[in-house]
Amino acid sequence: MNFQQLRSIREAVRRNFNLTEVANALYTSQPGVSRQIRELEEELGVEIFERYGKRLTGLTEPGREIVRIVERLLLEAENLRQAGDEFAGRHTGRLTVATTHTQARYALPKVVQAFRHAYPHVTLALQEASPTHIVELLLTGQADIGIATEAVANEPGLTSFEAYTWQHVLVVSPGHPLTLLPEPTLEDLAGFPLITYDAGFTGRRKIDGAFAAAGLHPEIVLTALDADVIKTYAELDLGVGIIASMAYDPRKDAALTCIAARHLFEANTTSVAVRRGAYLRGYAHAFINMFAPQLSRDAVDSALSEAAADKTQALAA
C-alpha cells in the first residue's frame, strides 16, 4: 500500500471516475492509474469500484467505506507535513482563502494588507467563488479557509465560526421617492423595480424570505454578483438597489443615497470555515484572528478538537 494508490482512489471519486482526468491530475498515465487502483484492490481483497468493461462506473459497498478511510489517511498525511513545517520553525508556505466577491472586495483588503506585512514569506492566494464552490474547495483540500455568508455554516464536513453580522441597505438616486419616507416599509419597497444579488449570494435568501413572509412579489429587474454593478444601475435610476452595508461608501458613492433596511430584512452572519480534522499552520490561525479578532487560536483549536472527537464517535457507532 502506498500514497500514490490512495491518491488514485481519491481522485477517481473526485473526477467522477474519469481515469483520463485522474491521470492528468496526478501527472501520470491512465494505465498507471488503473494499475495503482487494481493493485490496492488485490491487496485489500475487495473491489473498490464498480466497472462496466474497463470503465469505472461507481463505488461498491465496501468501496464507499474504503474511500472514507482513504480521505482520512491523506488528510492526516497532509496534517503531518504541515505540523512538521510548523514545528521546524518554517515561516514560509501557502495559504489559500476561498471567499465570495463581496468579502474579497469589501471585508478583506485591510486583513490581507496586515497579513502580508506580518507574513511576507507566505504566499496568500485569494480564490473568489460561489458559496457552494467554496464548500467544495474546502472539502477537497484545495482551500485552507473559507469565508462566506451562505452554505459554509451548514456543511457537516466543515467546522464553521461566526465572524461578524451585517445588514442590507437600500441605495437610490438622490430625490428618489423612498428618500422622502421616514422609514420605508416592504410594501413601499415592492412598489419599485429592484436590483440586488443573484440567488444564493450575499444574503439574498433573507431578502426573498422577507418579501415572501409579507405575501409580496416584488419586480426584480436585475441581479448581479457584484455590488458595484448593482450600484451602477441604481445610479441610472433603473431600480432600487439592495446591497450589503459594507459595500456602501459615502465618499465613493456620493451619487447615491443610502437608506437603512435593518427593519426590513434579518441580519446576516458571515462565517469562517475550515475542513474538519485539518491541521492549521500558525499563519492560518493568524489570518482568521485578523479577520475575526474574537476567534483566537485556542478557540479555533478547541472547536476543531471537539468536531474531530464527534466524528470519531460517529464512525465508531
Side-chain angles (χ1 to χ4, degrees), residues 1 5 9 36-49 51 60-63 66:
M1 185 182 303
Q5 292 171 340
I9 298 295
Q36 295 286 352
I37 292 173
R38 181 60 74 184
E39 287 176 354
L40 183 58
E41 288 180 321
E42 290 174 355
E43 182 176 349
L44 297 178
V46 296
E47 288 196 345
I48 299 172
F49 295 100
R51 291 173 170 82
T60 63
E61 183 176 350
I66 288 169

Side-chain angles (χ1 to χ4, degrees), residues 5 29 63 76 144 210 227 246 259 263 308:
Q5 292 171 340
S29 66
E76 290 302 334
D144 304 296
M246 61 275 206
I259 302 172
H263 63 291

Side-chain angles (χ1 to χ4, degrees), residues 26-266:
L26 297 178
Y27 303 101
T28 186
S29 66
Q30 183 175 332
V33 171
S34 297
R35 185 179 66 256
Q36 295 286 352
I37 292 173
R38 181 60 74 184
E39 287 176 354
L40 183 58
E41 288 180 321
E42 290 174 355
E43 182 176 349
L44 297 178
V46 296
E47 288 196 345
I48 299 172
F49 295 100
E50 295 176 344
R51 291 173 170 82
Y52 182 80
K54 293 184 178 181
R55 290 192 301 109
L56 305 185
T57 59
L59 288 168
T60 63
E61 183 176 350
R64 286 190 286 272
E65 180 60 30
I66 288 169
V67 166
R68 284 194 287 268
I69 296 170
V70 166
E71 289 280 3
R72 292 204 304 273
L73 288 172
L74 291 174
L75 176 60
E76 290 302 334
E78 175 60 20
N79 286 345
L80 187 61
R81 186 183 66 79
Q82 295 280 10
D85 288 345
E86 179 81 358
F87 291 105
R90 300 173 190 169
H91 299 293
T92 61
R94 178 182 178 87
L95 180 66
T96 300
V97 178
T99 189
T100 61
H101 173 85
T102 297
Q103 301 299 328
R105 172 69 176 81
Y106 301 106
L108 286 173
K110 290 184 178 179
V111 176
V112 170
Q113 184 181 42
F115 182 85
R116 291 291 300 130
H117 179 75
Y119 296 90
H121 301 298
V122 174
T123 300
L124 176 61
L126 275 185
Q127 187 162 350
E128 285 189 33
S130 68
T132 54
H133 191 206
I134 291 171
V135 170
E136 180 184 345
L137 292 172
L138 289 169
L139 291 176
T140 58
Q142 297 175 73
D144 304 296
I145 298 170
I147 298 174
T149 300
E150 317 284 350
V152 297
N154 299 317
E155 171 55 51
L158 304 178
T159 300
S160 64
F161 309 87
E162 293 186 359
Y164 69 98
T165 58
W166 55 270
Q167 302 283 158
H168 286 104
V169 295
L170 312 179
V171 288
V172 294
S173 58
H176 189 281
L178 286 179
T179 64
L180 304 177
L181 302 177
E183 192 172 77
T185 65
L186 283 173
E187 289 78 7
D188 294 326
L189 187 55
F192 298 92
L194 305 182
I195 307 169
T196 191
Y197 298 102
D198 282 354
F201 286 81
T202 321
R204 172 65 187 274
R205 181 171 55 86
K206 298 290 182 68
I207 296 171
D208 292 342
F211 283 115
L216 298 170
H217 304 281
E219 180 189 10
I220 298 178
V221 295
L222 179 69
T223 65
L225 302 179
D226 185 346
D228 289 338
V229 173
I230 297 171
K231 290 186 289 186
T232 295
Y233 287 96
E235 284 183 25
L236 296 174
D237 235 355
L238 296 181
V240 176
I242 307 176
I243 62 172
S245 54
M246 61 275 206
Y248 177 77
D249 185 329
R251 294 170 301 172
K252 296 179 180 179
D253 300 320
L256 289 169
T257 299
C258 181
I259 302 172
R262 64 174 59 248
H263 63 291
L264 301 177
F265 309 115
E266 291 182 15

